[in-house]
Amino acid sequence: MAYVSHFRRPALVFVLSLSLAACSTDDLTPSARIDSSSRVSAIEPARHAGRGGQDIAYPSADTPVSTFSENSADPRLQAQGRLPMIDSEPANDGQPSTIAGAQPMTVPPEGVNMDAMLGVEPASAPVVGLAEEQNRDIAEGNVIAEGNASQPVVGGIGSDTVQQLGATQVAVAAADPGYDPDLPPLSQEQIAAEEARKAQFLEQQQRVTLRKSNRAADEQQVAFLPRAENPMSEPDFTGQMPASEIACRQRLKKLRVEFTDIPRISQGRSCGIDYPIELSGLSGGIDVKPAVKLNCEVTEAFAKWVKNELAPSARYRYLSGIKTIKPLGGYSCRTMNSRRGNPMSEHARGNAIDVGKFVLNSGKEIDVRKPGFFAFREKGLLKAVRSDSCKYFNTVLGPGSDRQHKDHFHFDLRSRKSGYRHCD
């Protein structure tokens, strides 16, 4: 058995060698149709043996395109059960192949007439291409080739020389401005009715404009009418003293105030007193020198303050009453602090009084200016004047308030909406 196994191994090697030798014979050489190139694209297409080398000719004019197909033209292809090949069909030795009953495939020199092949009737007018149409329009003078040739083409829009392009030059600018080529022409009756409506519209527009101008004139006239509270208007003065002024004078007499009614003071629209009085004395035999011109309201307030506050305060400190009050001003047509551009002062209406000195019965004069260091009684009196007078007046200014009031006291009845009293 060992001998047999040693024999089989060389036999197996021999059989394999014969197989390899058989594979390297000339029967396995490449076909002659394959060239020496190593590229796959060099392989020639294989010819089908059953085709017979027949090509399909282009259908004739008598055969409709919609009913023609390559498979129906060649019954042999249908019998073979495959689709026809297009680019891979070889030529038959350079000779065009034909189908039975068909002519060879040729292209006419004038090109293929698709209309005739599709069975479309030829048009009455020859077909003109776009390039030929543009060349024809340019040759005729129409620089714009688009649009229908029967419609007018206008050039120069936006300038003074608007003209129609083409053979006939028409000046469009000279036409009627109311003419619209897109609308149908109007008859004479329609033109007359249109003119009547236009005239009626213009007349109505003129009426509206005239009414607006008259209304503006009326408003302007009303705006210049004087108002009762306008400071620039003249006050309504009738000359007859109102009841309020009469009542005020009756109260002054009860306070034993010495006064005289004087004529009306009028120095423009900002200065004046309608019913002024001239104050010359107060109750208790107190003289006012020089006499001042005031209105009745501030005179009453000043008389009450002197009687109820100033005279008792002086008797308490000096054991002597007041004999004379020396005012520095009453009515005066000027601005505040006599500065240009400031509002009008209360003196311009006689609604304020300035006091510079008080003279006692003993003959002592008390100047309202800042007293000396050891003038204790004067300091107390002037302090009482400043504090007590604020009960009767709306504004009290004196030494220390500002430099304009360093030598006198200022008392007025200026009305403020907030009701604020300024005492400094």
Side-chain angles (χ1 to χ4, degrees):
M1 295 298 293
Y3 178 77
V4 175
S5 62
H6 287 290
F7 178 77
R8 286 180 179 179
R9 291 178 179 177
L12 182 59
V13 172
F14 179 73
V15 172
L16 293 175
S17 300
L18 290 177
S19 300
L20 293 176
C23 292
S24 61
T25 57
D26 293 339
D27 294 337
L28 298 178
T29 58
S31 174
R33 292 182 289 107
I34 301 176
D35 55 8
S36 60
S37 176
S38 62
R39 297 173 59 89
V40 178
S41 59
I43 302 176
E44 297 178 0
R47 298 182 182 180
H48 198 278
R51 289 283 299 211
Q54 298 295 329
D55 291 337
I56 300 173
Y58 195 82
S60 62
D62 298 335
T63 304
V65 177
S66 60
T67 59
F68 176 79
S69 64
E70 189 176 1
N71 293 335
S72 61
D74 192 355
R76 292 174 299 174
L77 296 179
Q78 298 178 358
Q80 295 176 3
R82 69 178 184 87
L83 295 176
M85 300 182 65
I86 299 176
D87 295 336
S88 61
E89 296 298 330
N92 294 333
D93 299 333
Q95 298 295 330
S97 60
T98 59
I99 302 176
Q103 298 179 356
M105 177 179 177
T106 58
V107 179
E110 65 276 6
V112 179
N113 190 351
M114 298 298 295
D115 292 338
M117 295 177 61
L118 296 175
V120 179
E121 294 295 333
S124 59
V127 179
V128 180
L130 178 60
E132 184 178 356
E133 183 179 0
Q134 292 178 352
N135 295 333
R136 181 185 302 173
D137 292 338
I138 295 174
E140 294 178 358
N142 298 332
V143 296
I144 301 177
E146 291 82 356
N148 191 354
S150 62
Q151 297 292 333
V153 181
V154 181
I157 298 177
S159 62
D160 296 336
T161 58
V162 181
Q163 295 181 353
Q164 179 180 351
L165 302 178
T168 59
Q169 301 295 332
V170 180
V172 181
D176 185 7
Y179 171 74
D180 191 347
D182 295 334
L183 299 177
L186 300 177
S187 61
Q188 296 296 332
E189 292 78 6
Q190 293 176 344
I191 294 176
E194 188 70 21
E195 293 295 335
R197 286 195 297 268
K198 186 184 298 184
Q200 184 179 3
F201 173 75
L202 293 177
E203 184 179 359
Q204 183 179 4
Q205 190 174 9
Q206 291 178 358
R207 291 179 181 177
V208 173
T209 305
L210 182 60
R211 189 181 299 111
K212 289 182 178 180
S213 61
N214 294 336
R215 185 181 304 172
D218 295 341
E219 292 178 356
Q220 186 177 7
Q221 183 178 1
V222 172
F224 280 100
L225 290 176
R227 299 178 182 177
E229 298 180 357
N230 187 2
M232 301 300 294
S233 63
E234 288 287 347
D236 187 10
F237 182 77
T238 60
Q240 184 178 0
M241 186 177 294
S244 60
E245 293 291 334
I246 296 175
C248 180
R249 282 159 173 78
Q250 291 176 357
R251 291 191 297 269
L252 289 180
K253 291 179 180 180
K254 291 182 180 181
L255 292 173
R256 297 183 180 181
V257 177
E258 297 178 4
F259 66 93
T260 304
D261 287 316
I262 59 177
R264 179 191 182 208
I265 301 175
S266 178
Q267 293 181 329
R269 297 180 177 180
S270 301
C271 298
I273 306 174
D274 291 338
Y275 308 99
I277 60 174
E278 188 175 51
L279 178 62
S280 58
L282 300 170
S283 63
I286 300 175
D287 297 330
V288 179
K289 294 181 181 180
V292 290
K293 299 175 182 178
L294 304 170
N295 60 30
C296 187
E297 290 77 13
V298 73
T299 302
E300 182 182 5
F302 186 70
K304 288 181 179 180
W305 169 68
V306 171
K307 180 181 179 180
N308 300 330
E309 306 295 340
L310 180 60
S313 181
R315 285 194 298 266
Y316 172 76
R317 288 174 173 83
Y318 291 97
L319 301 177
S320 176
I322 295 178
K323 182 181 180 180
T324 305
I325 296 176
K326 294 184 177 181
L328 297 182
Y331 168 78
S332 177
C333 185
R334 60 181 176 86
T335 60
M336 289 184 179
N337 300 327
S338 299
R339 289 186 177 180
R340 186 175 182 180
N342 286 355
M344 297 303 295
S345 172
E346 293 297 318
H347 289 279
R349 291 296 180 181
N351 201 33
I353 183 174
D354 295 338
V355 177
K357 289 182 180 181
F358 303 105
V359 180
L360 301 179
N361 290 329
S362 61
K364 182 177 177 59
E365 291 187 358
I366 300 176
D367 198 335
V368 300
R369 296 177 183 178
K370 188 175 181 180
F373 181 76
F374 296 102
F376 300 109
R377 289 186 296 181
E378 292 183 9
K379 289 181 180 180
L381 180 61
L382 296 178
K383 184 177 180 181
V385 169
R386 190 186 299 270
S387 60
D388 295 339
S389 61
C390 197
K391 302 175 185 178
Y392 302 88
F393 298 98
N394 295 335
T395 305
V396 177
L397 300 174
S401 300
D402 50 38
R403 62 180 183 178
Q404 285 80 17
H405 299 87
K406 64 182 180 179
D407 58 350
H408 66 276
F409 278 107
H410 170 86
F411 309 101
D412 69 47
L413 291 177
R414 180 183 179 184
S415 60
R416 298 180 177 89
K417 294 182 179 180
S418 61
Y420 169 70
R421 293 175 180 264
H422 183 78
C423 300
D424 187 11

